[in-house]
Amino acid sequence: NAGVTQTPKFRVLKTGQSMTLLCAQDMNHEYMYWYRQDPGMGLRLIHYSVGEGTTAKGEVPDGYNVSRLKKQNFLLGLESAAPSQTSVYFCASSYKTLDREAKNIQYFGAGTRLSVL
Amino acid sequence: DQQVKQNSPSLSVQEGRISILNCDYTNSMFDYFLWYKKYPAEGPTFLISISSIKDKNEDGRFTVFLNKSAKHLSLHIVPSQPGDSAVYFCAASAPWWGAQKLVFGQGTRLTINP
C-alpha cells in the first residue's frame, strides 16, 4: 500500500519556468490538500479539494493552480515560477467521514523539494 | 496572523527523561487538535489528537493535555527515546471547516540525547 506518492522528489527551476507537481493516493480518500513548508512558518495550505472536479483556495494560493480530474490524483501547477516559491511541497489526503477524529487525520506524502533560481 | 504557535523552535532532552512540547492557539473556535511528527526527508505522520471536550488524551508514551482557558496544549513524551528525535507540529481544526482543513504551528525540533 503506497499511501500518498509525490513526484518528483526534487526539482530546480529557473525563474519564469513552469512545472506540475503530481500527487497520487491509493486510499480512496475524498479530500486532498497541497501545503508548502518554509523555515519558521510550519505548513501552510495552498489549495485543497473536496472531491473529483472541485478545488478551493487555501491560505497561500497566489501563483499556484490545481486540478483534480481523477479522484486519486491532485496536481499542483506553477505557471511562472518565482524565487519566493522555493519551498518543500507536501500533498496530503483524508477521509470524508462523520468520525471527528478520523476526518481530521491527514496522510502526507514524502514531499517535493523545489528550488527556483 | 499565526493562529497556532509553537514558540520553541528546538528542544533537547536526555534519553529516558520527559519531553514536553508546547503549543498555543488564538482562535477559541478551534475544537480539535492534533500532533504530527516529521522525520527528515519524510512527510508528517499523525501522532495523537484531542477533542476540545477533553483535557487529556493518552496513547502509550504520548499524552496530550489541553487547557482551553489558556488556549494551550502540550505533548508529553515519557520516557523519551532516541527515535523520538524529530520535528513535531501541532495543528488545529475548526468545526465549520467542512473540508477538514488544518492550521499548523511552526514546529519544534526535538533532539533526544543518549
Side-chain angles (χ1 to χ4, degrees), chain A residues 31 33 35 37-38 40-45 48-50 57-59 90 94-97 99-111 113, chain B residues 1-2 31-32 34 36 38 41-46 48-51 57 87 89 92-107:
Chain A
Y31 300 142
Y33 315 82
Y35 292 89
Q37 183 195 4
D38 302 293
M41 301 292 289
L43 286 87
R44 293 181 293 169
L45 183 65
Y48 64 98
S49 169
V50 300
K57 295 180 180 179
E59 182 186 356
F90 289 101
S94 64
Y95 290 107
K96 178 181 180 181
T97 173
D99 181 321
R100 188 82 173 106
E101 178 172 32
K103 73 189 291 187
N104 278 295
I105 297 174
Q106 296 181 12
Y107 299 82
F108 285 81
R113 185 174 295 276
Chain B
D1 181 23
Q2 192 83 20
D31 72 335
Y32 211 86
L34 304 89
Y36 278 80
K38 184 185 177 307
E42 296 183 9
T45 55
F46 170 73
I48 191 170
S49 63
I50 187 167
S51 165
N57 189 28
V87 176
F89 292 97
S93 176
W96 66 86
W97 289 344
Q100 301 139 37
K101 293 186 291 181
L102 297 175
V103 175
F104 286 84
Q106 307 96 310

Side-chain angles (χ1 to χ4, degrees), chain A residues 34-103:
Chain A
W34 275 106
Y35 292 89
R36 58 178 290 172
Q37 183 195 4
D38 302 293
M41 301 292 289
L43 286 87
R44 293 181 293 169
L45 183 65
I46 304 172
H47 286 280
Y48 64 98
S49 169
V50 300
E52 183 178 323
T54 68
T55 63
K57 295 180 180 179
E59 182 186 356
V60 288
D62 294 342
Y64 305 95
N65 57 75
V66 289
S67 65
R68 183 108 180 261
L69 299 179
K70 293 183 178 180
K71 184 177 182 178
Q72 64 268 32
N73 295 336
F74 195 26
L75 306 180
L76 178 70
L78 287 74
E79 290 186 348
S80 179
S84 61
Q85 294 178 304
T86 293
S87 187
V88 181
Y89 291 85
F90 289 101
C91 176
S93 67
S94 64
Y95 290 107
K96 178 181 180 181
T97 173
L98 295 178
D99 181 321
R100 188 82 173 106
E101 178 172 32
K103 73 189 291 187

Side-chain angles (χ1 to χ4, degrees), chain B residues 32-83:
Chain B
Y32 211 86
F33 304 89
L34 304 89
W35 284 94
Y36 278 80
K37 177 179 181 179
K38 184 185 177 307
Y39 292 119
E42 296 183 9
T45 55
F46 170 73
L47 186 59
I48 191 170
S49 63
I50 187 167
S51 165
S52 61
I53 62 174
K54 298 181 179 179
D55 54 19
K56 175 183 175 182
N57 189 28
E58 191 172 354
D59 184 1
R61 296 186 297 113
F62 303 92
T63 303
V64 56
F65 295 92
L66 175 63
N67 183 334
K68 290 187 293 292
S69 61
K71 296 190 182 68
H72 177 84
L73 63 155
S74 61
L75 174 67
H76 293 212
I77 306 174
V78 182
S80 300
Q81 299 174 353

